[in-house]
């Protein structure tokens, strides 16, 4: 079946999800990001790869890291960046998403970076652009509902590869609210596609998707057992805004069983790294001494996110 993210030559033209993306495409994105990491050390931090292009940031949900790093990435690629203020846009007057898109295309948009609470919104935009002969306009999913957050998955993969070199011998634990987490879904798809030896999903049953093993993971409800011998521990935020009804007794009890403390982290390998996509809830899913400790790579994740987003935008813009 045709992958809507790839053109006829197999080049990345939209980034909508890591599910079904060929491993060589994922590796190419990570390899393309690599030289962009060191650009931050240069006096002039810009390259002309997107000169003359317009990147529209459309964030229908709040964001600190993703929106800002997309903006920095686009500016480092020399693009013009337009951050649509959704609260004061005509979306608040009842304009449909696709009418908004058509109007922005009429303003010569080249790339849309879209975050939306509805799963599938970026796919819908990409389909609409293709159906209306706008193949030169590209869509990057910056997080849709609980479905996917592919650039977060890619920056997580980049971070793991940076610290651990290869995925082949790794055991990676993803801990917490997997049910509502687009970050977990994208990372798990990326890890399994790149041949990670073992991916574990750790959390209470109420926060696990049905048939979670079908994603290629081993499920653990006991955090200490799940962390035993891990190389990488990825903590997730409790997505309270997406929970319907009471799935948890209380944040305090959650922390007791699933909060990452130094004592629980001692089950993992001594050189295990700790990751978190942010925003963090200290004292709910992670203890401050761990979040700020020497095994935490949470802030390097954010920095790598700029390079990974530069890689994605430069690749899709160069696809014919
Ligand atoms: N990780 C992440 O998506 O963070 P933001 O919500 O701040 O973009």
């Amino acid at each position: 079946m045709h992958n809507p993210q790839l053109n006829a030559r197999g080049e990345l033209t939209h980034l909508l999800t890591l599910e079904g993306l060929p491993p060589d495409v994922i590796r190419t994105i990570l390899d393309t990001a690599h030289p962009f990491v060191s650009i931050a050390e240069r006096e002039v931090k810009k390259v002309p790869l997107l000169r003359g292009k317009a990147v529209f940031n459309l964030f229908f949900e709040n964001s600190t890291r993703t929106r800002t790093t997309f903006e920095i990435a686009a500016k480092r690629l020399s693009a013009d960046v337009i951050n649509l203020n959704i609260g004061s846009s005509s979306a608040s007057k009842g304009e449909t998403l696709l009418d908004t898109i058509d109007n922005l295309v009429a303003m010569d948009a080249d790339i849309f970076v879209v975050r939306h609470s509805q799963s599938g919104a970026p796919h819908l935009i990409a389909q609409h652009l293709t159906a209306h002969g706008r193949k030169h306009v590209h869509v990057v999913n910056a997080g849709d509902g609980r479905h996917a957050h592919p650039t977060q998955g890619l920056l997580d993969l980049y971070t793991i590869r940076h610290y651990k070199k290869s995925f082949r011998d790794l055991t990676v634990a993803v801990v917490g609210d997997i049910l509502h987490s687009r970050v977990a879904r994208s990372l798990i798809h990326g890890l399994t596609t790149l041949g990670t030896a073992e991916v574990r999903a750790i959390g209470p049953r109420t926060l696990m998707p049905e048939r979670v093993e079908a994603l290629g993971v081993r499920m653990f409800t006991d955090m200490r057992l799940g962390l035993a011998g891990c190389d990488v521990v990825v903590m997730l935020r409790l997505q309270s805004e997406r929970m319907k009804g009471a799935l948890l007794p209380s944040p305090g009890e959650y922390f007791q069983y699933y909060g990452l403390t130094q004592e629980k982290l001692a089950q993992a390998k001594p050189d295990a790294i700790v990751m978190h996509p942010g925003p963090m809830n200290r004292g709910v899913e992670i203890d401050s001494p761990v979040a700020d400790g020497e095994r935490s790579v949470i802030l390097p994740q954010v920095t790598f996110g700029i390079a990974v987003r530069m890689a994605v935008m430069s690749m899709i813009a160069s696809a014919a």
Side-chain angles (χ1 to χ4, degrees):
M1 201 175 75
H2 174 67
N3 187 326
Q5 307 181 95
L6 305 177
N7 65 16
R9 290 210 288 269
E11 299 163 329
L12 192 70
T13 186
H14 304 291
L15 180 66
L16 306 174
T17 173
L18 296 191
E19 186 175 8
L21 210 56
D24 56 326
V25 174
I26 296 181
R27 281 192 209 99
T28 302
I29 297 170
L30 303 184
D31 293 345
T32 304
H34 189 64
F36 291 139
V37 172
S38 53
I39 214 172
E41 290 153 21
R42 291 180 5 192
E43 201 177 311
V44 178
K45 297 180 176 55
K46 286 195 178 213
V47 287
L49 294 172
L50 289 192
R51 190 157 53 199
K53 303 279 185 193
V55 175
F56 280 67
N57 269 333
L58 309 183
F59 278 65
F60 294 85
E61 261 189 2
N62 293 339
S63 168
T64 296
R65 281 145 290 270
T66 312
R67 200 204 62 74
T68 313
T69 54
F70 263 112
E71 181 171 352
I72 295 168
K75 285 180 171 167
R76 286 191 182 169
L77 292 167
S78 308
D80 296 321
V81 184
I82 297 93
N83 293 306
L84 198 72
N85 187 341
I86 300 297
S88 58
S89 77
S90 292
S92 63
K93 297 181 194 163
E95 184 172 74
T96 68
L97 177 61
L98 296 181
D99 278 336
T100 300
I101 293 296
D102 286 341
N103 279 272
L104 299 177
V105 170
M107 298 175 206
D108 296 324
D110 294 290
I111 297 178
F112 289 115
V113 177
V114 182
R115 172 169 287 191
H116 205 285
S117 59
Q118 294 296 320
S119 296
H123 278 82
L124 182 73
I125 296 169
Q127 267 174 355
H128 176 78
L129 291 169
T130 304
H132 291 80
R134 311 280 192 194
K135 283 189 180 162
H136 59 285
V137 184
H138 310 277
V139 180
V140 182
N141 181 0
D144 62 328
R146 56 163 95 170
H147 170 240
H149 192 347
T151 58
Q152 179 70 46
L154 289 165
L155 77 87
D156 290 343
L157 294 173
Y158 189 94
T159 305
I160 294 170
R161 194 173 83 162
H162 176 84
Y163 288 100
K164 297 292 172 187
K165 309 305 174 206
S166 160
F167 294 92
R168 224 174 314 132
D169 303 318
L170 290 186
T171 300
V172 179
V174 184
V175 186
D177 182 4
I178 292 166
L179 179 64
H180 301 101
S181 177
R182 56 197 179 201
V183 172
R185 235 172 290 280
S186 287
L187 177 57
I188 289 168
H189 285 308
L191 287 168
T192 54
T193 302
L194 294 186
T196 306
E198 187 167 322
V199 184
R200 299 179 182 175
I202 305 174
R205 270 183 200 284
T206 49
L207 296 181
M208 284 287 170
E210 269 180 48
R211 301 191 327 106
V212 67
E213 288 90 350
L215 295 173
V217 301
R218 271 181 79 187
M219 186 183 87
F220 291 81
T221 53
D222 182 317
M223 187 168 176
R224 287 179 182 78
L225 286 181
L227 291 182
C230 282
D231 300 281
V232 178
V233 182
V234 182
M235 299 305 299
L236 300 173
R237 183 175 70 85
L238 280 180
Q239 314 265 304
S240 313
E241 71 278 15
R242 298 205 176 91
M243 290 186 194
K244 294 197 184 91
L247 296 176
L248 290 171
S250 69
E253 200 166 344
Y254 181 81
F255 182 71
Q256 187 188 337
Y257 288 101
Y258 295 103
L260 187 63
T261 57
Q262 299 278 27
E263 180 267 319
K264 291 195 195 93
L265 182 58
Q267 302 297 317
K269 285 190 183 158
D271 63 348
I273 56 170
V274 174
M275 298 169 52
H276 192 304
M280 271 189 291
N281 289 312
R282 292 169 184 264
V284 179
E285 70 260 0
I286 192 163
D287 207 9
S288 279
V290 179
D292 304 326
E294 59 182 18
R295 291 155 78 175
S296 167
V297 298
I298 293 170
L299 293 178
Q301 282 177 263
V302 177
T303 307
F304 292 144
I306 299 171
V308 164
R309 289 169 175 134
M310 288 176 77
V312 169
M313 287 192 285
S314 59
M315 281 172 65
I316 58 175
S318 68

